[in-house]
Amino acid sequence: MNQQSFFYAIEPFVRRLPSVERPTGHVHFKRKLSWTLAILLLYFVLGNIPLFGLSAASIDLFSSYRAFFAGSFGTMMLLGIGPIVTASIVLQLLVGADIIKLNLSDPRDQAIYQGTQKALVFLMVAVEGLPQVLGGYLLPDEGVANALGVSLGIISLLIFIQVFIGGSLIVYMDEVVSKWGVGSGVGLFIVAGISQQLVTGLINPATGEAGLSVGIIPKWIDIIRLQLISFDTLFTSEGIRFIMITGGILALISTILIILLVVLVESTRIEIPLAHSRVRGARGRFPVKLVYASVLPMILVRAIQANIEMLGALLASRLGIVSTATVTGEGVTTVYTGYSSLLGNFISQSQFDAATGAAISGQSPHPVSGLMYYLSPIVGPEDWIPSMVTTSTAGMAELGFSPIAGYQILLHVLTDSAFLIIGGILFAIFWIETTGMGPKSVAAKIHNSGLQVPGYRRNPASIEKLMERYIPKVTVIGGVIIGVLTLIASLMGTLGGAGGTGLLLAVSIVYRLYEQIASEQIQEMYPMMQKFFGASV
C-alpha cells in the first residue's frame, strides 16, 4: 500500500469523527460576532472550573509556555491549544518534507488532511495529558481519595478524564469560531489569556515578591508609601536596577515597545493593484504584508521547545540520578529535587507548611545545565542577567550543582536566538504552503474571483509569476523579523509574565482581527467580494 492509498484507507474513519458543520451560505457579521463571544465566554468558564481531586502540590510542567498555549493550570483548560499546535507541527513537517503527498488543492485530499489533523489532535491530548498524570506532576489529593473511599489511582484516572474532556472541547470550540465566528479559535484563546495576564500585571493588588503588590500600579503605590527608594539612591546602579527590574518599569517599556513594533510591521506591506474583469471601475488591492505568514508560526517554534523540555524532564526524572535538599524558614519548608542525567541537570521545588506538612505549591522542573538548558527558551531578564540567574536558580548549591557560568548564559541566549530566527523562517514557509497563502493558491483565488492584475494576462500562470516575485522573499524576511521581535521581548520581559512570544502573538492577532472585521463589513456592503474572501460556498 503506497502512502497516498494509506490516507484514502483511513478516510472513512476520519470522516466519521464528529465535526462542526460549515455554514451553507454567507453568515451575517452580527451572527459571527455572537458565536465568537459565546465561545469566548465558554472558554473563561472552563478555565475557572478546577480539576476535581487535584492536589495543591501538583506541578505545572508547561508553566513557561502557559501564556501562549492559552491554558489555565489546575482547570479543565489545562492543556489549552497545546495539542492543536503539536498536531499542526507534526503534519506541517511531514508536508514540508514531502512525506505526505496529498494534493491540498483537491477538496477530497484537503478533507482527508483536515480529518487526519483532528484525529492527531485527540491523540496529542492523551500524549500530553497522560505523562503529566503518570509522571507525578498532576498529583491526586489524598484527602479526596480518603473521603470517597477510593485509591489514589482512581483519582488520577478521574484527573486524566477531566483533562482529556477539556482538551477535546477546545478542539470543537476552535472549529465553531473558525467556521461560524470571526478569526480563529486558537487566536481568540491566546488573546483572551494574554489580555488577562496584562490586566493582572497592571492592577493586581495581591502580594508578590519582596512583599510588594503584583500589579505595577499598586506596586508603585507600595514603593512610594513605604519609601523603599530615596533620591540619594535613585541614580545608583542598585537604584536603577530596583526601578527597572523590581519596580517593573523594564517590563512596562518592553510591553509598550513590542506593541508599537508589531503594529508597525503589520501595517507595512506591498499592495498589488487588482481590477474586476467584468465590472468597470471595480478596483482593489492585494496586500503582501511584511509579516506575510503572521506570527502564528512562532507558536510552532515555542511548542517544539515545550515538547523537548517536557520529554527531557520526564526522562531525567525517570532515568537520572535523583537528589533532594530541604530548607525550612518562616513557616515554610522548601524541598528541592534535582535530576542528573546525560541530558543535563534539572531542579524542581515544592513548598509545604512547616507546622502541618500540608502541600502549598509545586514548581515545574527546569534545566540548569547540559543540552536541555541550552534548548530551553529565554522567558525574561532572570534567564540572562547573571545576578538574576543566580536568584532564579536557588537550590543549586543545596543540591551540589555547579553554578551557571557566564559563557553558559551567553551560549543559552545564542541558541535560543538561532532557534527563534531559523525556526521562524522554516515554519513561515511551511505555514503559507499549508494554509493556501502560497503564490499558486493566491493566483488561483484571484483568478477565480474574477479579478486580475492590470497589465497582466488574465490567467493563473501570469498572476502566479508576479506573486513569486514577492511572496517567497517577504515570507523569509517576515520570519526573521518575527524571530528577532520575539527574542527582544523575551529578553526584556513583559507585564504580568505574559512572555515575549505571547505578547507578540496577542498584538498581531488583535491587529489582524481588526482587519478581518473590516473585510467582513466590506463583504456586507459589496456581496461580490465574498467570493474572493472565501465567505461563500
Side-chain angles (χ1 to χ4, degrees):
M1 179 183 291
N2 60 38
Q3 187 261 9
Q4 192 171 32
S5 63
F6 166 76
F7 282 96
Y8 287 153
I10 65 172
E11 182 181 8
F13 167 73
V14 298
R15 283 188 178 274
R16 288 193 184 98
L17 288 174
S19 63
V20 177
E21 292 292 332
R22 287 188 176 276
T24 55
H26 176 65
V27 181
H28 196 277
F29 176 68
K30 289 184 179 179
R31 192 177 181 189
K32 285 188 174 184
L33 194 59
S34 299
W35 276 112
T36 303
L37 293 176
I39 293 298
L40 183 59
L41 178 61
L42 177 60
Y43 167 78
F44 278 121
V45 170
L46 292 173
N48 284 279
I49 298 177
L51 294 173
F52 176 75
L54 188 68
S55 169
S58 296
I59 294 172
D60 186 0
L61 192 58
F62 292 109
S63 57
S64 301
Y65 310 89
R66 184 61 56 199
F68 55 88
F69 274 176
S72 177
F73 181 68
T75 71
M76 294 283 287
M77 291 288 99
L78 177 83
L79 297 179
I81 62 171
I84 298 175
V85 173
T86 306
S88 178
I89 289 174
V90 171
L91 285 185
Q92 285 205 37
L93 290 175
L94 292 175
V95 169
D98 203 29
I99 296 175
I100 292 181
K101 302 182 184 298
L102 294 174
N103 179 13
L104 297 183
S105 61
D106 180 81
R108 182 186 178 188
D109 284 11
Q110 189 176 39
I112 294 173
Y113 177 88
Q114 292 172 347
T116 304
Q117 183 173 6
K118 181 183 289 186
L120 192 57
V121 170
F122 290 123
L123 177 62
M124 289 302 167
V125 170
V127 167
E128 292 186 10
L130 196 58
Q132 295 188 60
V133 175
L134 299 180
Y137 298 106
L138 299 179
L139 299 173
D141 191 311
E142 291 187 17
V144 173
N146 293 334
L148 295 178
V150 297
S151 66
L152 292 177
I154 296 298
I155 300 299
S156 293
L157 177 61
L158 289 175
I159 292 173
F160 173 72
I161 291 172
Q162 294 171 81
V163 170
F164 189 86
I165 291 173
S168 302
L169 282 175
I170 206 166
V171 175
Y172 292 104
M173 291 161 63
D174 173 55
E175 256 192 280
V176 171
V177 175
S178 301
K179 294 177 180 179
W180 291 88
V182 181
S184 72
V186 169
L188 182 70
F189 304 142
I190 291 173
V191 170
I194 298 300
S195 300
Q196 189 174 16
Q197 288 187 294
L198 290 178
V199 171
T200 299
L202 279 173
I203 63 174
N204 189 1
T207 303
E209 295 180 4
L212 299 174
S213 299
V214 174
I216 191 170
I217 294 175
K219 179 182 290 185
W220 273 96
I221 293 175
D222 291 344
I223 291 172
I224 295 170
R225 178 175 56 84
L226 300 173
Q227 298 181 349
L228 296 180
I229 190 166
S230 64
F231 185 79
D232 295 335
T233 60
L234 185 62
F235 298 104
T236 63
S237 59
E238 190 61 31
I240 293 173
R241 182 180 182 278
F242 179 85
I243 292 172
M244 300 300 289
I245 305 299
T246 306
I249 298 300
L250 180 62
L252 179 62
I253 293 173
S254 172
T255 301
I256 296 172
L257 179 64
I258 290 301
I259 290 174
L260 294 176
L261 287 175
V262 171
V263 171
L264 174 64
V265 297
E266 284 283 5
S267 60
T268 304
R269 65 191 70 191
I270 300 168
E271 294 187 331
I272 299 173
L274 299 174
H276 204 283
S277 59
R278 292 185 294 274
V279 181
R280 186 181 298 275
R283 294 182 176 275
R285 294 179 182 276
F286 179 78
V288 180
K289 294 186 175 183
L290 183 59
V291 186
Y292 182 68
S294 82
V295 299
L296 290 179
M298 199 50 60
I299 304 180
L300 307 181
V301 176
R302 286 305 198 198
I304 286 180
Q305 289 180 290
N307 284 284
I308 289 174
E309 189 169 334
M310 180 186 76
L311 181 61
L314 289 172
L315 290 175
S317 63
R318 293 301 178 191
L319 304 178
I321 300 172
V322 182
S323 56
T324 60
T326 302
V327 178
T328 302
E330 298 183 5
V332 177
T333 299
T334 303
V335 178
Y336 296 101
T337 305
Y339 309 101
S340 299
S341 71
L342 294 175
L343 297 173
N345 295 333
F346 289 76
I347 287 181
S348 70
Q349 69 178 53
S350 299
Q351 292 186 329
F352 303 87
D353 187 295
T356 64
I360 298 174
S361 65
Q363 183 192 65
S364 61
H366 56 281
V368 293
S369 67
L371 177 63
M372 300 307 301
Y373 170 71
Y374 299 119
L375 292 179
S376 63
I378 302 288
V379 297
E382 64 275 7
D383 284 336
W384 64 276
I385 297 178
S387 60
M388 297 187 70
V389 170
T390 302
T391 303
S392 66
T393 54
M396 290 186 67
E398 285 80 358
L399 291 167
F401 293 160
S402 301
I404 300 176
Y407 78 91
Q408 292 176 302
I409 297 173
L410 177 61
L411 187 56
H412 184 196
V413 173
L414 292 176
T415 304
D416 194 44
S417 304
F419 218 108
L420 289 172
I421 294 172
I422 297 174
I425 294 172
L426 292 177
F427 280 113
I429 294 172
F430 291 161
W431 188 268
I432 67 168
E433 291 300 327
T434 56
T435 56
M437 296 172 63
K440 186 174 182 179
S441 299
V442 170
K445 184 183 292 186
I446 291 174
H447 177 75
N448 293 337
S449 65
L451 296 169
Q452 67 182 68
V453 181
Y456 286 80
R457 291 183 178 180
R458 191 183 176 277
N459 62 67
S462 62
I463 301 175
E464 181 183 350
K465 188 175 181 180
L466 173 65
M467 294 297 171
E468 285 178 345
R469 291 168 51 186
Y470 298 103
I471 290 178
K473 297 181 181 67
V474 171
T475 300
V476 172
I477 294 171
V480 173
I481 290 173
I482 289 303
V484 171
L485 285 178
T486 303
L487 178 64
I488 293 172
S490 298
L491 290 172
M492 294 178 67
T494 57
L495 280 180
T501 311
L503 179 63
L504 200 72
L505 288 167
V507 176
S508 179
I509 290 167
V510 169
Y511 187 89
R512 295 203 172 211
L513 190 61
Y514 162 77
E515 292 187 321
Q516 186 167 353
I517 290 173
S519 75
E520 291 282 349
Q521 293 175 331
I522 291 174
Q523 292 174 53
E524 298 286 348
M525 296 171 61
Y526 304 102
M528 71 175 186
M529 296 300 293
Q530 292 175 14
K531 188 174 181 181
F532 176 71
F533 286 106
S536 60
V537 179

